[in-house]
Amino acid sequence: MHVDAPPARKHAAPDVYVIGGGPAGLATAAALGERGVRTVVLERSDRVAGVWRGHYDRLRLHTTRRLSALPGLRIPRAYGRWVARDDVVRYLERYAEHHRLDIVTGVEVSRVERAEDGGSAAADRSGWLLRASGGRELTARAVVIATGYSHTPRLPDWPGREHFTGALLHARDYRNAHPYQGRDVLVVGAGNTGAEIAVDLADGGASRVRLSVRTPPHILRRSTAGWPTQASGILLRRLPPRAADRMTRPVERLCVPDLSGHGLPRPETGLYSRALEGAIPVHDVGLVKAVRKGRVEVVAAVECFDGDAVVLADGSRVTPEAVIAATGYERGLDALVGHLGVLDRRGHPVIHGPRTLRTAPGLHFTGFTNPISGMLRELGREAGLIARAVARAGAGA
């Protein structure tokens, strides 16, 4: 159920505000509602799943439909095993309606403070004060930050980029290959996004596609003989990292050909160890074939720009007409909660899920990790744990 935006400075406070109307926020709000906790979701865009709506057209989940559903509602079988972007959005809209969630759209929270430090008249009633757009001051005893893994596009400050005569954009602004037909394009970044965009460009008629790689990724098939890689990831999480690394090496060699001669050598660091550092394996949806056939050329990392040229780490120069930076995202949490001592040096939450810091009781984070077992699966499980912790804290208040 959607509600109108609350008026500035005057409204009845819920028990919990969830900041972010993506999968993590919706799942957590649903779990809280199941426990009878009054919850309002605040979403900065005009609809739920705002980030998902902005992803490129080709995108499909690399996790299976069955293992990607949020608690309390299955993803329709009609969406297929690997759910497309538009169907993910439809599912999230249906999820919000199914659980009758209270969602306020068009409200952006700029800062979260302890209520006793915020100067609010409601400080004696609530633990947290949210300063939001329109001059709103919203209070609640608990807050869940679910603003997402892909919040703020990260565009490296390459020397000379401001003078580049071609087009330079972040992958967030890429939709499909149509504008690049017949053009020379350099894609920077060999994660799943960069790999898929490179293949999309090659399939979509770009005259030349290069993929700039700084650190070669682990590459896996999305499934092998019907067995999804995600299922293996779920099992691997129960093993020590070294054991998981040893188990995955022969699987990689068996399933993916050696691409060393094409500029993509196998990484020396183990797959699971890399995943724990945040480098999720690339799920092959055409990259291996495109690289072997020369439709996607692997080149060195970008060092700087020089007029119409891009200078690479090996000293070579290329002159693409467009550069698409698939260089990841920042969590975008510093202005929101950086003053609370809850972030590490990278700007990531120190802890997430049901646990909170003693210095910030009732402040939870969810959706800021990308595990090999599947982000949607894990944040769905995490939602129930957060709801239980919030309900227990409320009962003891």
Side-chain angles (χ1 to χ4, degrees):
M1 177 177 63
H2 293 258
V3 298
D4 294 332
R9 303 179 186 275
K10 291 183 180 181
H11 73 103
D15 295 318
V16 181
Y17 275 113
V18 175
I19 305 175
L26 299 181
T28 303
L32 287 164
E34 288 292 319
R35 290 182 174 270
V37 179
R38 291 178 301 147
T39 304
V40 171
V41 177
L42 302 175
E43 166 57 37
R44 64 175 178 171
S45 66
D46 60 352
R47 293 174 290 179
V48 299
V51 170
W52 273 93
R53 296 175 193 276
H55 286 315
Y56 50 94
D57 297 347
R58 186 190 183 99
L59 180 64
R60 287 182 177 269
L61 294 180
H62 295 148
T63 55
T64 67
R65 180 190 71 252
R66 185 176 65 84
L67 294 174
S68 301
L70 301 179
L73 185 66
R74 294 181 178 179
I75 299 177
R77 288 179 60 87
Y79 290 176
R81 194 183 196 197
W82 312 106
V83 185
R85 179 203 63 187
D86 289 348
D87 287 331
V88 172
V89 171
R90 293 187 187 98
Y91 169 70
L92 294 176
E93 290 175 334
R94 183 180 173 190
Y95 190 86
E97 294 171 357
H98 176 80
H99 289 285
R100 299 181 61 81
L101 302 180
D102 285 342
I103 302 172
V104 182
T105 59
V107 173
E108 183 169 9
V109 179
S110 58
R111 187 175 174 91
V112 177
E113 302 173 353
R114 292 295 299 270
E116 60 267 27
D117 299 329
S120 169
D124 59 337
R125 294 188 283 106
S126 303
W128 294 97
L129 169 67
L130 283 63
R131 299 190 184 277
S133 53
R136 297 177 178 85
E137 293 183 352
L138 314 174
T139 56
R141 66 176 176 85
V143 174
V144 180
I145 310 292
T147 48
Y149 192 84
S150 303
H151 185 273
T152 305
R154 180 195 302 128
L155 188 64
D157 189 19
W158 289 301
R161 76 176 194 188
E162 67 276 12
H163 302 300
F164 179 55
T165 57
L168 172 61
L169 66 151
H170 190 272
R172 167 70 71 84
D173 299 315
Y174 177 87
R175 292 295 173 268
N176 54 59
H178 181 72
Y180 306 95
Q181 290 178 355
R183 301 178 70 186
D184 184 329
V185 186
L186 173 67
V187 180
V188 184
N192 278 292
T193 297
E196 289 195 31
I197 288 177
V199 173
D200 193 46
L201 288 164
D203 291 346
S207 64
R208 186 172 189 178
V209 181
R210 298 183 183 92
L211 179 63
S212 172
V213 179
R214 183 173 298 276
T215 304
H218 286 276
I219 302 175
L220 296 173
R221 290 183 179 178
R222 195 162 54 179
S223 67
T224 302
W227 177 262
T229 297
Q230 180 190 6
S232 298
I234 293 171
L235 298 176
L236 288 175
R237 292 194 72 187
R238 302 181 181 183
L239 298 176
R242 288 186 180 180
D245 288 343
R246 286 195 298 269
M247 290 185 64
T248 55
R249 286 192 185 100
V251 175
E252 283 188 88
R253 290 189 173 90
L254 179 65
C255 296
V256 178
D258 184 7
L259 299 175
S260 299
H262 299 277
L264 280 178
R266 298 188 192 278
E268 296 182 3
T269 307
L271 184 150
Y272 190 53
S273 295
R274 286 280 301 277
L276 291 176
E277 297 170 355
I280 298 300
V282 168
H283 292 80
D284 181 33
V285 291
L287 179 66
V288 171
K289 183 178 180 180
V291 167
R292 294 182 77 184
K293 291 193 171 185
R295 297 172 60 237
V296 172
E297 305 169 47
V298 178
V299 298
V302 171
E303 287 294 302
C304 63
F305 288 74
D306 183 13
D308 65 345
V310 179
V311 182
L312 305 179
D314 60 3
S316 61
R317 299 164 65 94
V318 296
T319 53
E321 296 171 79
V323 175
I324 300 172
T327 46
Y329 294 83
E330 303 287 351
R331 305 294 88 88
L333 294 171
D334 291 285
L336 188 66
V337 295
H339 56 286
L340 297 172
V342 295
L343 305 179
D344 63 19
R345 292 181 301 174
R346 301 171 300 166
H348 297 183
V350 175
I351 56 177
H352 60 87
R355 297 174 55 214
T356 62
L357 294 176
R358 294 182 64 182
T359 55
L363 182 63
H364 297 265
F365 294 87
T366 182
F368 294 97
T369 59
N370 191 13
I372 60 174
S373 50
M375 180 185 288
L376 292 177
R377 176 183 184 271
E378 297 305 328
L379 64 82
R381 292 160 61 88
E382 198 168 72
L385 298 176
I386 293 173
R388 182 170 65 181
V390 171
R392 285 180 175 177

